[in-house]
Amino acid sequence: MSLQKKPKISVQTIRRLPQYLRIFYNFHAYGRELISSTDLAQQTHLLPIVIKKDLQAVGAPSKRRAGFKVAGTINVIEQFLGWNNLNKAFLIGVGHLGAALLGFGGFKNHGLEIVAAFDTEPDKVGQTIHGVPVYHTAQLTSIIEKQNLKIAVLTLPSSAAQGVTDTLISAGIKAIWNFAPVNLKVPADVVVQKEDISSGLAELCAKLKSK
Amino acid sequence: MSLQKKPKISVQTIRRLPQYLRIFYNFHAYGRELISSTDLAQQTHLLPIVIKKDLQAVGAPSKRRAGFKVAGTINVIEQFLGWNNLNKAFLIGVGHLGAALLGFGGFKNHGLEIVAAFDTEPDKVGQTIHGVPVYHTAQLTSIIEKQNLKIAVLTLPSSAAQGVTDTLISAGIKAIWNFAPVNLKVPADVVVQKEDISSGLAELCAKLKSK
């Protein structure tokens, strides 16, 4: 079985994994050992067949007619996403959105530890926001190296995003989570995940129009 | 041609439409009448074949070997999303994320006009944030009816989300853009678009692991 070729996992499946993980964590905390896809369907409002396919794609262990094994499924999802180890991350741009992300307590469950923030505003530099120290952007390269930071979260205005990205790439950063509404130019070995708020709005509006 | 059966449009295509729209607006502002999919590929970093399929799916008008017609394509995308008319929306929960969304100037280009915000904190109620008045949540139903509001943006803590949703449904709201990490229970005629920050992080981590 272990030599079987794994199917390619779709973006849609990947995007649903954190939701499954949260539910499995919950059941685990209550001491449950198995969850059926019917139980999962009730909590996620997804079809049982979708859930089954998603979890089978990442190799979730199951027991015939009883459901997925809780501890084992947590393990394979965490492994798949690399969330069994914490990645040290930093955030650039401490505006409203940046501050909102710093205040989001859930990242540690998602393999991410935000240990530094950067801004250029004198009234922000030197502060500690939700427990994270804010440094001046001029210190970016030296702190990335000193603290061995891996993932950059960009919550900057569009106009500043590409310039900062170039600095990050020189400093060796390989993963950028981009909240600025621009397409960043990066070399092939750097991964970028772009969050575009208007994509969600487009989905909502398309659903509303099709009613 | 107009009687031809339209293909079902995928969520992925819908999520890319705002990005195309921004580029077409830009070209339109510069007086360009046609854009080739090669031009679009350069700006979006998507494959020309993906772009062609997306735009053909919404019926974007084109000229053989010259590209897509700018004004006509803007028109069909806006029509498809219902962004040719402004929908009056309101936001509930003026924390960091709520304030960040109120400060996002781009919604008017996306068919959305946020005209009211709600919170329960005494130091927020009565304020105007980024031009939007903040009311007490107790006034929700009366202001929804008075101002004919259509779309609710939920930037509340999870614990409060379902209770407020029940109030919204009683008040006749048919579209909810949910930023709280919970699955809301709603009747079949209400559309919900859930934004889950951890889905984007899962995508980033999966890309990083596959490197």
Side-chain angles (χ1 to χ4, degrees):
Chain A
M1 279 295 280
S2 63
L3 287 172
Q4 215 181 320
K5 209 184 159 198
K6 279 194 189 157
K8 192 172 156 18
I9 297 179
S10 77
V11 170
Q12 291 308 315
T13 295
I14 291 170
R15 293 182 64 88
R16 286 189 287 265
L17 293 177
Q19 194 182 158
Y20 299 131
L21 202 49
R22 274 196 294 268
I23 296 168
F24 276 85
Y25 284 145
N26 252 333
F27 276 87
H28 193 250
Y30 283 102
R32 275 274 292 270
E33 287 177 12
L34 291 161
I35 316 180
S36 68
S37 34
T38 321
D39 282 349
L40 287 165
Q42 231 164 18
Q43 300 235 353
T44 57
H45 309 182
L46 294 166
L47 294 173
I49 180 72
V50 171
I51 295 167
K52 253 187 219 172
K53 277 191 180 169
D54 284 347
L55 292 178
Q56 282 167 354
V58 290
S62 59
K63 201 175 157 178
R64 234 180 117 86
R65 283 167 220 254
F68 291 95
K69 295 182 181 172
V70 174
T73 302
I74 289 175
N75 195 28
V76 294
I77 298 178
E78 285 186 343
Q79 287 271 357
F80 177 81
L81 295 171
W83 289 0
N84 44 340
N85 294 308
L86 277 186
N87 282 302
K88 281 194 181 178
F90 57 103
L91 181 145
I92 313 175
V94 191
H96 278 299
L97 178 60
L101 288 176
L102 291 178
F104 175 58
F107 286 133
K108 278 203 183 160
N109 279 337
H110 301 79
L112 204 71
E113 188 183 10
I114 299 183
V115 296
F118 295 89
D119 207 295
T120 51
E121 298 278 325
D123 61 331
K124 287 175 187 160
V125 174
Q127 301 290 315
T128 297
I129 297 182
H130 297 292
V132 178
V134 182
Y135 303 100
H136 194 282
T137 309
Q139 293 177 268
L140 207 44
T141 305
S142 73
I143 290 173
I144 287 172
E145 287 171 7
K146 222 178 290 170
Q147 301 209 23
N148 192 24
L149 306 181
K150 296 292 181 203
I151 298 179
V153 184
L154 250 63
T155 45
L156 283 166
S158 299
S159 55
Q162 186 63 52
V164 167
T165 298
D166 296 343
T167 306
L168 294 176
I169 289 163
S170 306
I173 291 297
K174 298 291 181 211
I176 299 173
W177 197 10
N178 177 28
F179 289 82
V182 284
N183 294 306
L184 300 173
K185 282 189 202 91
V186 297
D189 64 335
V190 174
V191 296
V192 177
Q193 170 67 21
K194 186 182 160 198
E195 299 299 324
D196 190 342
I197 187 80
S198 54
S199 291
L201 184 56
E203 262 194 79
L204 179 74
C205 292
K207 285 180 200 166
L208 193 60
K209 275 214 76 174
S210 71
K211 280 277 161 182
Chain B
M1 280 294 278
S2 62
L3 288 173
Q4 214 180 319
K5 208 182 160 199
K6 276 192 190 162
K8 190 169 156 21
I9 296 179
S10 77
V11 169
Q12 292 307 316
T13 295
I14 291 169
R15 292 182 65 87
R16 285 190 287 265
L17 293 177
Q19 190 181 341
Y20 298 130
L21 201 49
R22 275 196 293 270
I23 296 168
F24 277 86
Y25 283 145
N26 250 334
F27 276 88
H28 194 248
Y30 283 102
R32 276 274 293 270
E33 288 176 11
L34 291 160
I35 316 181
S36 68
S37 34
T38 321
D39 282 348
L40 287 165
Q42 232 165 17
Q43 300 234 353
T44 57
H45 308 184
L46 295 165
L47 294 172
I49 181 71
V50 171
I51 296 167
K52 252 186 218 171
K53 277 191 182 169
D54 284 347
L55 293 178
Q56 282 167 355
V58 290
S62 59
K63 201 174 156 178
R64 233 179 118 85
R65 282 165 220 255
F68 291 96
K69 295 181 182 174
V70 174
T73 302
I74 289 175
N75 196 29
V76 293
I77 297 177
E78 285 186 343
Q79 287 271 354
F80 177 80
L81 295 170
W83 289 0
N84 44 341
N85 294 308
L86 277 186
N87 282 303
K88 280 193 182 179
F90 58 104
L91 180 144
I92 312 174
V94 192
H96 278 301
L97 178 61
L101 288 176
L102 291 178
F104 175 59
F107 285 132
K108 278 204 182 160
N109 280 336
H110 300 79
L112 204 70
E113 187 182 13
I114 299 183
V115 297
F118 296 88
D119 207 296
T120 50
E121 298 278 325
D123 61 331
K124 287 175 188 161
V125 174
Q127 302 290 315
T128 298
I129 297 181
H130 296 293
V132 178
V134 182
Y135 303 100
H136 194 283
T137 309
Q139 292 177 270
L140 207 44
T141 305
S142 73
I143 291 173
I144 287 172
E145 286 172 7
K146 223 179 287 169
Q147 300 208 24
N148 192 24
L149 306 182
K150 296 292 181 204
I151 298 179
V153 184
L154 250 63
T155 45
L156 282 167
S158 299
S159 56
Q162 185 64 52
V164 167
T165 298
D166 296 344
T167 307
L168 295 175
I169 289 164
S170 305
I173 291 297
K174 298 289 180 212
I176 299 174
W177 197 10
N178 177 27
F179 289 81
V182 283
N183 294 306
L184 300 171
K185 283 190 201 87
V186 297
D189 65 334
V190 174
V191 296
V192 176
Q193 170 67 21
K194 186 182 161 198
E195 299 298 325
D196 189 342
I197 188 80
S198 53
S199 291
L201 184 56
E203 262 195 80
L204 179 72
C205 293
K207 285 180 200 165
L208 192 59
K209 275 216 75 175
S210 71
K211 280 279 162 182

